[in-house]
Amino acid sequence: MDQQTVTLITGTNKGMGLEIALELGQRGQTILVGARNRERGQAAVTQLAEQGVQATFIQLDVTDATSIAQAAQQIKTDYGYLSILINNAGAAFDQHQAPATLPTSVMRRDFDINFFGLIDVTQALLPLLLKAPAARIINISSMMGSLTASLMPGAETYRASAVGYQASKAAANMFTVQLAKQLAATDAAITVNAVDPGMVATEFGGSSAATAQARGAKTPAEGVARTVALATRPTIDTATFTNTHGIVPW
Ligand SMILES: NC(=O)c1ccc[n+]([C@@H]2O[C@H](COP(=O)([O-])OP(=O)(O)OC[C@H]3O[C@@H](n4cnc5c(N)ncnc54)[C@H](OP(=O)(O)O)[C@@H]3O)[C@@H](O)[C@H]2O)c1
């Protein structure tokens, strides 16, 4: 990538998004801080600046078509292309309700952000990714979305009960595979991959980072290591689902 690497991360105002922004900014990438809330996004930009990373805030609610269109237009005007899109924004609303009774209204909320939001952002930015000499789409998925792991008694996620969240991540995995195959069949130099960060100490799901850490969650730096590798290695494969140890089952 001879051009300046321009990287947009969704959900950058805290958690793993903020850590990814910091680490990729420290490696010289131009960071666009996607956040749905202006105040929280600007606070993240300030926090990054204090750590030596100059980043730019972009208002981006992945469930809002107008916000997505405006973000795409801003990137087009300011840069004319996008090198890396990291679909990190995510949420889970299931509250451990059982599959037999979890309301579909709750599942729709999971899907709106984790699946449809991810797709809307990706489709809107694809024309700008196609303008970069070699672009990457990295979807922050989860082992919670692995059908194979959910059937393996020894797996960390075997006992998980969040069918809306899990299904939305499984669906996002399928989008990853299908888009990767479509792009690989053309001249487009764009890879599309899914990452499992593992259990990470953030405020995800409404808990505190300290509570998650007490349950054995990894630090944000450990959680983003695979994503940072995919965003910085000179060449990478496409259509993969990996964590820091390698390939994980779809
Ligand atoms: N933490 C874990 O153990 C874990 C494990 C596997 C996968 N993941 C995945 O990792 C990703 C990052 O999670 P995290 O742990 O860093 O959680 P987090 O600290 O809760 O951060 C989630 C981010 O997503 C943003 N977001 C939520 N809804 C959004 C929307 N509609 N539009 C734009 N941004 C929105 C949040 O913004 P607000 O502050 O405005 O809400 C926040 O910046 C998620 O995709 C999650 O599913 C997490």
Side-chain angles (χ1 to χ4, degrees), residues 21-239:
L22 175 66
E23 295 198 22
L24 295 183
Q26 286 172 335
R27 285 163 174 77
Q29 297 189 9
T30 296
I31 301 299
L32 308 182
V33 168
R36 59 179 165 172
N37 178 282
R38 185 168 293 277
E39 226 166 79
R40 292 197 288 269
Q42 293 288 11
V45 167
T46 304
Q47 207 176 315
L48 289 167
E50 285 164 2
Q51 294 172 89
V53 169
Q54 299 308 315
T56 303
F57 166 68
I58 292 201
Q59 198 282 330
L60 180 51
D61 182 334
V62 305
T63 62
D64 179 342
T66 306
S67 168
I68 295 171
Q70 284 173 349
Q73 186 55 48
Q74 187 182 332
I75 298 168
K76 186 177 179 192
T77 304
D78 292 351
Y79 304 96
Y81 67 95
L82 181 65
S83 318
I84 302 178
L85 167 62
I86 302 181
N87 285 307
N88 166 76
F93 300 100
D94 307 55
Q95 309 272 5
H96 307 293
Q97 294 179 78
T101 49
L102 178 66
T104 53
S105 57
V106 175
M107 298 191 207
R108 283 180 214 280
R109 292 183 69 199
D110 292 315
F111 269 78
D112 276 345
I113 296 175
N114 303 326
F115 181 62
F116 295 116
L118 179 150
I119 294 174
D120 283 339
V121 169
T122 303
Q123 290 180 344
L125 292 169
L126 211 43
L128 292 173
L129 290 159
L130 284 163
K131 290 213 163 70
R136 296 176 185 186
I137 298 169
I138 303 170
N139 295 328
I140 308 305
S141 180
S142 172
M143 274 304 270
M144 294 277 277
S146 168
L147 295 170
T148 308
S150 73
L151 287 164
M152 285 165 46
E156 215 178 32
T157 54
Y158 181 70
R159 289 181 195 287
S161 177
V163 71
Y165 176 70
Q166 292 176 277
S168 69
K169 290 293 189 183
N173 282 353
M174 183 58 83
F175 178 70
T176 302
V177 167
Q178 294 297 77
L179 182 63
K181 281 168 34 189
Q182 182 199 335
L183 294 171
T186 69
D187 288 340
I190 306 181
T191 56
V192 192
N193 290 291
V195 173
D196 159 41
M199 194 178 46
V200 182
T202 65
E203 293 173 358
F204 190 76
S207 92
S208 75
T211 307
Q213 207 167 3
R215 287 194 199 120
K218 301 193 275 189
T219 63
E222 290 168 327
V224 307
R226 181 61 190 160
T227 299
V228 169
L230 285 175
T232 52
R233 288 203 177 145
T235 58
I236 57 170
D237 290 336
T238 195

